[in-house]
Every structure is written in structure tokens, then in C-alpha cells.
Amino acid sequence: MSPHILVFDSGIGGTSVLAHIKASIPSAHFSYVMDNALLPYGLQSEQTIRARLAALVQYIDEQELNVDIIVIACNTASTSALEATRQLTRISIVGVVPAIKPAAALSDTKHIALLATPATSNNAYTHSLIEQFAQGLRVDLHHSTALVTFAEALYWNRLVEDAKVVTELHRIAIAPEVDTIVLGCTHFPILKRHFEQFYSSDVKLVDSGEAIARRVQSLLAQAGKYTMILCERDLSRKKPLQFYATAPDKISFTEQEIKLISLNSISY
Ligand code: DGL
């Protein structure tokens, strides 16, 4: 049996991470859970996010989904609740956190910016990443909730007004000395074209997608499941991606079947 990888986000941001994992492990079985009832997570408290992830773990157990790896494909959820969630389950969990370390290594001007959600840019975990991996660099913190909304609109309606994105990027006003921007929200790679048009071609945009795919591969290898993936050549027998959502409002936008679930069940 191919390994089962469950990717979680508040919305569709995690699909930017899912794409990297699928490209490197195409024969795995994938589930995607979005907690769109509480979107955007960037405006939620740590306590709320921890409770939602606890409920997710409980749901996986109750439904016997046989998940091998949970990928919390959300910087906000990972920086708020990764350690707490790991205490609740024996399933391996891979968190997505802002790529401060690779960005620091890439920067020539030693001046980088983190663009994330309000919760991610304010939380202690993010500040500790900066202290640990960006010593001697200047790191500017910026946040945006509007960019999350635009990425959602682009994904579901295939439409976002370029002018609105440009206005938001002007408001964010990243300093011209910055040569490397950490896209510290998994929704943001979905707007990559907009960023590339707005910022000079010298500015490097860094996200965590590829590194996460490598981490998932190495965990599967450790668990003895990677050789099995390489042997399993018959992709036609693979199960289709199962989508789950916590609110029905997006379901009508897609031909993909989405299963409605609740993550309200427990308090943390
Ligand atoms: N995609 C998420 C992240 O990586 C969260 C966006 C949101 O719900 O605010 O932070």
C-alpha cells in the first residue's frame, strides 16, 4: 500500500506545498484538509488553532484514516501549534515554518523581509527562528491578510484584480534594500506571478515547499516506506486526492468532491 500523506491548511494555501510533495512522491495517497470555517488563521488566537489541530488529530484517529504523515502546510498553524499537536499523536508531523535560514544564506545585502500573516509575524516561534538563523542580518516583519483573500479568490474564482494586489504590495512597502523576501504563508506562492511583476528581478522570493517535500521523503525513507514508493509504478491504481473542508461555502465552486467535516468537537 502506498503511504498516506494528509496535508492541512486553513484554506487552499497548502496546495502550494502539496504540489511539491506530489511532484516528488507521485504514487502516494493524498488527503487535503482545509479549515475554511476559521479562515483566516492569521487572525485567530494560538489557543483556537491548537484546539482545531487537536480536533484534526482526533478525527484522523476516529475515522481510522491510516495517515502516515500529517503536513501542517500552514505557517500560522505550525508556528502556533506544531509542538502541542505532536504531543497528541504518534503520527509523524511535518510543519511548515518561514524559510528564514535559507533566505539569510541567500541575501547579499544582509537585509531580508518576512511576509506572513499577522499571527505568524507576531509569534514567539517566528522570533526565535530569526534569532537563531538570521544573526547579523536585518529582518523586517510585514504581514497581510488581504493577500490570503486574493490567493483564495485566484484559486476558486480564477480571478483576482491585479490592481488590488499592487495596492496591497504598495501598502506593505518592503524596503528597497531588501534583496530576499520570505513568503511565510503558504497562500503567497499562489500569487508568485504578482510578486515577480511587482518586485525587481534581483529580489529573491523564498518559500518552504521544496524543503518540505524533501523532509516528507526522508521521513518515509526512515519508516521504510520510500523504497516501496519507488517500486510502486502503477500510478493508475492510486486513489484520487480526497478533499475535506469545515465550511460548505467553497464546495459549489469545484467539480472536486469535497467532504464536509467538523473540527469543533474538542476543547484544548
Ligand atoms: N496559509 C496559512 C499560512 O501559511 C494561513 C493563512 C490564513 O489563514 O491566514 O500561514
Side-chain angles (χ1 to χ4, degrees):
M1 263 217 332
S2 35
H4 183 184
I5 301 168
L6 183 143
V7 177
F8 173 85
D9 183 36
S10 55
I12 48 69
T15 61
S16 69
V17 178
L18 177 67
H20 285 283
I21 305 174
K22 270 181 143 176
S24 68
I25 317 170
S27 67
H29 164 207
F30 291 98
S31 295
Y32 188 88
V33 181
M34 55 181 176
D35 189 9
N36 54 325
L38 289 197
L39 184 74
Y41 265 23
L43 300 179
Q44 303 290 347
S45 70
E46 279 200 6
Q47 205 190 6
T48 302
I49 294 172
R50 286 179 190 192
R52 303 299 275 191
L53 283 160
L56 174 73
V57 166
Q58 183 172 297
Y59 179 83
I60 291 170
D61 284 349
E62 277 171 9
Q63 301 293 315
E64 297 177 8
L65 296 185
N66 294 322
V67 170
D68 293 291
I69 296 186
I70 300 172
V71 179
I72 305 181
C74 173
N75 292 263
T76 310
S78 299
T79 53
S80 305
L82 184 56
E83 290 315 319
T85 312
R86 282 194 172 129
Q87 309 300 317
L88 305 174
T89 179
R90 290 165 67 182
I91 303 170
S92 302
I93 301 186
V94 177
V96 176
V97 300
I100 301 289
K101 191 179 177 184
L106 280 173
S107 174
D108 295 317
T109 60
K110 302 296 168 208
H111 188 172
I112 69 176
L114 169 64
L115 182 54
T117 66
T120 300
S121 63
N122 287 330
N123 83 26
Y125 188 102
T126 302
H127 296 160
S128 74
L129 280 179
I130 293 170
E131 262 164 45
Q132 216 182 329
F133 296 121
Q135 274 179 15
L137 275 84
R138 180 165 164 193
V139 184
D140 295 343
L141 299 178
H142 297 274
H143 59 78
S144 169
T145 303
L147 291 178
V148 173
T149 309
F150 298 148
E152 288 280 327
L154 190 59
Y155 186 92
W156 294 109
N157 313 332
R158 298 190 172 83
L159 195 74
V160 62
E161 276 179 51
D162 287 1
K164 286 191 177 168
V165 181
V166 168
T167 305
E168 178 63 0
L169 294 177
H170 275 299
R171 183 201 66 75
I172 293 166
I174 289 178
E177 301 77 29
V178 164
D179 69 347
T180 309
I181 302 173
V182 179
L183 301 181
C185 169
T186 54
H187 278 77
F188 297 168
I190 291 166
L191 298 170
K192 204 159 186 177
R193 176 182 68 78
H194 296 82
F195 294 132
E196 284 171 351
Q197 282 170 0
F198 185 83
Y199 297 110
S200 134
S201 57
D202 299 339
V203 173
K204 297 173 265 293
L205 302 168
V206 183
D207 67 66
S208 312
E210 270 179 40
I212 296 304
R214 281 197 300 274
R215 178 75 188 133
V216 171
Q217 258 188 3
S218 100
L219 281 176
L220 289 174
Q222 275 170 32
K225 298 209 166 188
Y226 190 57
T227 347
M228 191 178 72
I229 300 169
L230 296 176
C231 296
E232 202 161 309
R233 294 185 189 281
D234 187 2
L235 294 182
S236 62
R237 281 187 311 167
K238 182 169 106 68
K239 288 194 201 161
L241 170 76
Q242 174 64 61
F243 239 105
Y244 299 86
T246 56
D249 57 322
K250 295 293 186 285
I251 291 176
S252 57
F253 282 109
T254 175
E255 279 144 35
Q256 164 90 45
E257 200 189 311
I258 300 184
K259 187 168 178 183
L260 197 58
I261 62 168
S262 164
L263 296 181
N264 287 324
S265 50
I266 55 179
S267 58
Y268 182 77

